[in-house]
Amino acid sequence: MSGNQAPEFTWPDDDISRVPYQVYTDADIYAREQAQIFQGPTWNFLCLEAELPNPGDYKTTFVGEASIIVTRDDDGAINGLLNRCAHKGALVCYKPCGNTRHLTCVYHNWSYDLDGNLAAVAFSKGVGGQGGLPDDFETAGHGLQRLRIETYRGLIFGTFSDATPAFADYMGPKLLASIDRVLIKPLKVLGYHSQMLPNNWKLYAENTRDSYHASLLHVFHNTFGIVRPNMRGGVQIADSGWHHRSYAERVPAGDVEIDKEKVRSLKNQYSLDDVSLMEHVEELGDTVTNSIQTVFPSLVIQQILNALAVRQLVPRGPDRSELFWTILGFEDDDDALLELRLKVNNLVGPAGFVSMEDGLAGGLVQRGAVADPAARTVMPMGGPGIEPSVGSRVTEAAVRGFWKGWRECMGI
Ligand SMILES: [Fe+2]
């Protein structure tokens, strides 16, 4: 570029199956995403209603890089507040969760109620009749910035934008129904884990929409029959293209013959000492054993056998992101089902055989991407469009749908 400022990024043509590597590495694009995607017309997962059972309960979370406080107030209502003091901008709340009457900034003790209203200012009347707030200072205009909130089936979503449609319209009926399918009863949080991903957040957003890789990268899945390409299943895609769900049904054990010429698979001598890892208790009214759903831009809703979880994707700079897992069960689970959920979640999570591999794959692309930012990926699987598919998951349609949504938000 010979010292000149780089031209503003534009997509080379209308083709959403070819992604310029620059979008994974460029600091200006990353900064623009904070405003136009995370603080744009999108619903961002914040936390679960089950994490805030009582008045005064709060939890801190993220929308993009922005720190957010979610509270339950005395009326039982959920509030989403930007975690930034109206005075000098310090984080008001630096604890992950708790119960409180007021949110008080440690810097100058400005204090807010659970709805984010400014309730008290230290030394507001000055000291000894001197100093203090001017008479025309309006506390009403200096609360914590509020997000719009919607809850759905125990999930709490927030948006900065007035332009975001109602959550049901945002998802569309098909993808809303697939949330209904999984979150059928009051939820119980069983635990958390998190992992740093050595890649731009969009590489993970792509990964979760990429049903093509599931049986190839995740050899354990394929070998022991959690996901194989010849299982019944399909890919649902919202009419907008923004959200998707990939699902598969395991046929009874022993009935699956894998074509070893076509599928990279471990040999038959491998077997599990603990076959309960593959156990599945049907509880959702169908025989689907693997269901991965996305909510643009940052949520994954997971059912793998009985392992239920939500995963929240948080960007940490152009080449880093962090994935927060909340492991779920239902309030009425018995001990055996609870143990089964945890066991399979450990298999899937960052210390197991699935998410570690997804983190590795994203990091490999990130390392490749820096070589030539103007070069492009190619994603031809399943044709150029974003149509859903029934019967096949060997498609990149949902990944292309993500890029449609990204370009619409970014105006690129
Ligand atoms: Fe994966």
Side-chain angles (χ1 to χ4, degrees):
M1 292 293 165
S2 67
N4 294 330
Q5 196 169 10
E8 186 166 332
F9 175 75
T10 53
W11 204 273
D13 51 35
D14 280 341
D15 190 352
I16 48 174
S17 72
R18 305 212 63 194
V19 177
Y21 290 113
Q22 187 177 354
V23 301
Y24 306 118
T25 59
D26 188 290
D28 291 337
I29 291 172
Y30 179 81
R32 217 167 132 187
E33 289 170 342
Q34 300 302 315
Q36 292 185 239
I37 293 185
F38 295 104
Q39 299 191 20
T42 59
W43 283 111
N44 294 268
F45 172 75
L46 300 177
C47 64
L48 294 144
E49 286 193 85
E51 294 173 289
L52 307 169
N54 302 308
D57 286 347
Y58 68 86
K59 177 165 175 153
T60 53
T61 180
F62 295 94
V63 170
E65 291 210 334
S67 178
I68 307 294
I69 314 167
V70 189
T71 68
R72 189 180 289 278
D73 64 26
D74 290 332
D75 302 326
I78 304 283
N79 301 278
L81 310 168
L82 180 60
N83 189 7
R84 185 178 69 193
C85 185
H87 177 216
K88 295 293 290 285
L91 287 185
V92 173
C93 186
Y94 49 83
K95 294 179 183 167
C97 58
N99 185 281
T100 188
R101 302 309 309 158
H102 288 99
L103 300 160
T104 302
C105 179
V106 294
Y107 197 0
H108 301 87
N109 285 19
W110 285 36
S111 185
Y112 304 86
D113 67 19
L114 295 166
D115 298 344
N117 302 306
L118 181 59
V121 174
F123 303 132
S124 61
K125 307 262 187 248
V127 174
Q130 299 211 311
L133 292 173
D135 291 340
D136 62 353
F137 182 85
E138 304 255 5
T139 52
H142 296 90
L144 300 176
Q145 185 179 337
R146 295 176 62 84
L147 280 71
R148 282 171 61 207
I149 293 290
E150 274 207 42
T151 60
Y152 193 78
R153 297 234 165 211
L155 309 177
I156 303 173
F157 293 89
T159 182
F160 278 90
S161 172
D162 292 334
T164 314
F167 183 73
D169 297 331
Y170 183 74
M171 294 306 297
K174 285 178 297 185
L175 274 294
L176 203 63
S178 59
I179 300 178
D180 297 341
R181 175 193 162 271
V182 183
L183 306 183
I184 56 172
K185 289 186 281 189
L187 297 169
K188 180 175 170 182
V189 174
L190 305 185
Y192 302 95
H193 41 224
S194 66
Q195 69 190 108
M196 293 302 299
L197 299 169
N199 54 261
N200 184 278
W201 69 276
K202 297 186 293 298
L203 287 170
Y204 189 77
E206 289 189 287
N207 174 282
T208 53
R209 288 164 173 82
D210 170 5
S211 44
Y212 176 29
H213 86 281
S215 60
L216 300 168
L217 176 67
H218 303 306
V219 180
F220 183 95
H221 258 36
N222 190 31
T223 302
F224 294 108
I226 298 179
V227 173
R228 285 173 174 162
N230 56 350
M231 286 179 177
R232 278 199 306 268
V235 179
Q236 297 176 298
I237 299 177
D239 290 343
S240 66
W242 292 23
H243 331 287
H244 100 298
R245 173 188 173 233
S246 170
Y247 62 97
E249 292 178 66
R250 184 171 64 180
V251 296
D255 287 0
V256 178
E257 278 302 319
I258 295 294
D259 181 345
K260 292 190 174 59
E261 296 304 309
K262 293 181 182 166
V263 179
R264 190 158 54 90
S265 170
L266 293 179
K267 300 224 167 80
N268 288 335
Q269 73 259 28
Y270 292 99
S271 63
L272 289 171
D273 281 344
D274 180 1
V275 292
S276 71
L277 272 175
M278 296 296 100
E279 205 177 304
H280 179 226
V281 178
E282 281 185 29
E283 60 176 337
L284 303 177
D286 59 31
T287 55
V288 169
T289 44
N290 195 91
S291 171
I292 299 292
Q293 174 164 8
T294 54
V295 178
F296 187 93
S298 56
L299 178 67
V300 178
I301 302 170
Q302 165 209 303
Q303 175 230 336
I304 298 174
L305 303 170
N306 296 95
L308 308 180
V310 287
R311 310 176 197 161
Q312 180 191 18
L313 178 60
V314 176
R316 298 291 194 204
D319 60 358
R320 285 282 179 281
S321 47
E322 190 163 6
L323 191 63
F324 293 95
W325 300 61
T326 305
I327 310 306
L328 298 173
F330 297 121
E331 270 181 7
D332 62 357
D333 285 350
D334 62 24
D335 288 348
L337 188 52
L338 201 144
E339 189 183 334
L340 185 60
R341 295 193 199 286
L342 290 176
K343 189 178 285 192
V344 179
N345 262 304
N346 284 338
L347 163 70
V348 174
F353 288 116
V354 177
S355 205
M356 176 188 67
E357 294 158 351
D358 288 325
L360 169 75
L364 293 175
V365 179
Q366 191 73 37
R367 286 158 64 186
V370 295
D372 178 2
R376 294 197 274 174
T377 62
V378 54
M379 297 183 292
M381 285 292 169
I386 58 167
E387 294 79 22
S389 63
V390 178
S392 169
R393 295 178 310 286
V394 185
T395 173
E396 294 168 297
V399 187
R400 293 187 289 270
F402 171 84
W403 287 109
K404 175 178 176 286
W406 186 89
R407 292 185 64 188
E408 287 167 355
C409 287
M410 296 286 280
I412 284 175

